[in-house]
Amino acid sequence: MRSEDKKRRSGKGSKHPASPLTPHPSPAKLILKSGREKSLKRRHPWVFSGAVANVRGEPGPGETVGVWSATGEFLAVAAYSPQSQITARVWAWEERAIDRAFFKERVARAVAQRRELLDGAATEACRLIHGESDGLPGVVADRYGDTIVLQLTSAGADRWREEIADALLEAAGISRVWERSDAEVRNLEGLPAATGPLRGDRQPTQIIVTENGLMFQLDLEHGHKTGFYLDQRENRLRVRRLARGGDVLDGFCYTGGFALNAAVGGARSVLALDSSAEALALAQANARLNDLSGVDWVGGDVFQMLRHLRDGRRQFDLIVLDPPKFAPTAAHVPKAARAYKDINLLAFKLLRPGGLLVTFSCSGGVSADLFQKIVAGSALDAGVAAQIIERLGPGPDHPTALNFPEGDYLKGLICRVARQ
Ligand code: SAH
């Protein structure tokens, strides 16, 4: 796959060089319909297909275009995605060349911010680039020890792969970049999957990272996202601190993130559930790696298993629910809302008085407000009184740019069931 990609990519740089002599990097222009410049003026970085009146020039996928209002006002420099509903993603708000120097600057800024935000131990496994919120639409880069995993999900990001990889090596001082551009959203951009080594020769098959003192083995080739859910780092630590002495249930445990933190935090018992055999195998390997033998790992469907536990009158002091994205977009929301309601209702029923529910939604389509309403409905139907004692989100290496509310995908609540 990698060599095919190379062929596909070859000639990319030569076709569209950004000359320092031309202030505007591309003759191609997107002209918006009248009045459709409003969101760009608020610096929202997406141009939807319905807002475009016409395309001047013949830009190819990922090429740089100028975005102009119907009245001839310059708005932004953006990457063109002819196949996507999001026709263009903004690189910059001023007229400037998009070239190697641009990526060097943006990538260096993002990497430097992580150094300031996180302590040394946490930066061993952290997100270095978080897409739009770091001014790099379609680019995600995660650092796992001496390897960076790069995921490119837009035509624009895909086009500048080599420049981004070089900028990452330079800014992070790391020699290996592994590509995991196999996210489904690439289909919407008309991009084939691209995975494999981008820089450095060794295949990073056995990567182990330490997060807050716990070791995790990662499967960078097949694991979810780029191999790990880095966005839950701080929340896993929070659970470690809440778990002492209690019976803990980790629904949707993946490779054991919350369950192992509960075990190391001194839980009396930990039951961890997941439907993926591969995830559970890795979770068990992670338990061995950390010499934590007390976790009960069970495969199956959480919806069914929660019902079973309820029928068996099992009780827990702390339940973590970190399900997959039930609603990637607004269209999935009604069905997703029922799913969230269902699992949270069952969890409330399984908690002892005074017990804690740590519940998450990573659905872009479900706002924090809606999620809270759903969880409130769950408590009501479960017949329990509960309070929110903490609101959770991703760590500081997953920032949300204020002009990009879509970036605010992960929300969590810690709810305490009233003591009787
Ligand atoms: N909390 C984890 C990440 C969870 S990701 C961490 O911190 O690393 C969501 C997990 O839910 C995945 O491992 C997936 O296999 C699992 N999953 C999805 N649907 C499921 C279902 N219906 N029943 C059980 N597990 C499910």
Side-chain angles (χ1 to χ4, degrees):
M1 186 184 294
R2 175 57 59 201
S3 62
E4 265 176 45
D5 289 339
K6 285 245 166 71
K7 263 185 248 152
R8 178 169 55 79
R9 290 171 201 152
S10 67
K12 174 178 53 187
S14 58
K15 209 173 140 201
H16 187 44
S19 156
L21 298 174
T22 36
H24 198 283
S26 163
K29 284 186 179 183
L30 296 190
I31 315 289
L32 301 189
K33 290 177 184 162
S34 174
R36 298 303 291 270
E37 69 283 359
K38 288 200 185 90
S39 70
L40 282 168
K41 288 207 153 174
R42 286 196 303 271
R43 302 218 152 176
H44 189 273
W46 291 350
V47 178
F48 288 98
S49 57
V52 179
N54 61 65
V55 182
R56 300 235 174 107
E58 287 182 3
E63 282 187 22
T64 305
V65 293
V67 185
W68 297 74
S69 75
T71 55
E73 191 183 354
F74 170 82
L75 298 166
V77 181
Y80 185 51
S81 275
Q83 295 218 22
S84 170
Q85 288 280 87
I86 304 168
T87 303
R89 288 176 165 82
V90 172
W91 289 129
W93 302 101
E94 71 281 7
E95 282 191 86
R96 62 162 295 169
I98 302 304
D99 53 11
R100 184 168 279 274
F102 169 81
F103 289 100
K104 190 174 160 177
E105 190 185 305
R106 285 276 160 102
V107 169
R109 185 176 75 185
V111 172
Q113 277 170 6
R114 273 49 180 194
R115 285 212 187 92
E116 288 160 18
L117 286 170
L118 300 166
D119 62 31
T123 49
E124 190 195 83
C126 79
R127 178 149 296 188
L128 297 177
I129 302 177
H130 192 46
E132 276 78 351
S133 292
D134 278 310
L136 289 164
V139 183
V140 159
D142 288 339
R143 176 181 176 175
Y144 297 115
D146 63 358
T147 300
I148 291 174
V149 182
L150 181 62
Q151 187 162 78
L152 306 171
T153 54
S154 67
D158 195 77
R159 180 184 165 80
W160 294 99
R161 164 184 285 104
E162 306 299 332
E163 289 77 1
I164 295 166
D166 287 340
L168 271 166
L169 291 189
E170 197 182 327
I174 287 175
S175 60
R176 196 193 297 156
V177 181
W178 176 264
E179 184 168 9
R180 266 301 296 278
S181 298
D182 55 357
E184 251 175 58
V185 285
R186 279 177 68 94
N187 299 336
L188 304 175
E189 301 271 323
L191 299 167
T195 59
L198 257 185
R199 295 287 183 277
D201 45 6
R202 200 153 49 91
Q203 294 247 124
T205 42
Q206 284 272 316
I207 296 261
I208 293 174
V209 291
T210 304
E211 179 190 271
N212 295 315
L214 272 178
M215 285 181 283
F216 291 92
Q217 192 183 315
L218 313 178
D219 180 350
L220 297 190
E221 249 177 292
H222 308 106
H224 294 183
K225 305 227 274 187
T226 61
F228 201 50
Y229 288 86
L230 286 173
D231 50 359
Q232 293 283 28
R233 181 198 312 108
E234 279 75 7
N235 301 328
R236 288 190 278 258
L237 190 59
R238 192 78 195 90
V239 161
R240 181 189 302 186
R241 296 192 173 132
L242 294 169
R244 175 157 297 279
D247 295 315
V248 176
L249 169 65
D250 179 10
F252 310 96
C253 69
Y254 189 49
T255 56
F258 284 102
L260 293 176
N261 271 283
V264 85
R268 181 167 49 207
S269 73
V270 184
L271 173 60
L273 317 173
D274 204 283
S275 56
S276 157
E278 296 83 44
L280 284 177
L282 213 44
Q284 281 165 301
N286 287 335
R288 284 192 295 276
L289 202 59
N290 293 284
D291 227 354
L292 292 166
S293 55
V295 182
D296 195 5
W297 307 98
V298 180
D301 175 49
V302 167
F303 291 80
Q304 282 175 14
M305 291 192 285
L306 291 180
R307 284 195 173 79
H308 258 98
L309 292 166
R310 178 200 58 191
D311 296 345
R313 297 186 185 279
R314 283 284 296 272
Q315 294 265 276
F316 298 90
D317 302 290
L318 173 65
I319 299 180
V320 181
L321 293 179
D322 182 24
K325 212 188 288 174
F326 289 149
T329 70
H332 302 84
V333 169
K335 200 167 163 226
R338 284 194 293 278
Y340 286 121
K341 167 99 184 270
D342 210 16
I343 50 171
N344 284 290
L345 192 161
L346 288 161
F348 276 126
K349 290 200 171 213
L350 290 168
L351 282 168
R352 295 196 173 100
L356 297 172
L357 172 62
V358 184
T359 183
F360 296 97
S361 163
C362 61
S363 293
V366 174
S367 66
D369 189 40
L370 175 59
F371 185 55
Q372 182 174 324
K373 287 196 175 100
I374 295 169
V375 175
S378 300
L380 188 70
D381 288 8
V384 301
Q387 308 163 312
I388 296 170
I389 60 167
E390 223 173 298
R391 291 170 204 279
L392 305 174
D397 51 336
H398 292 64
T400 304
L402 283 169
N403 56 328
F404 186 63
E406 290 84 349
D408 196 13
Y409 65 103
L410 179 66
K411 40 253 153 197
L413 297 170
I414 306 184
C415 299
R416 187 197 298 282
V417 171
R419 293 175 204 281
Q420 280 159 344

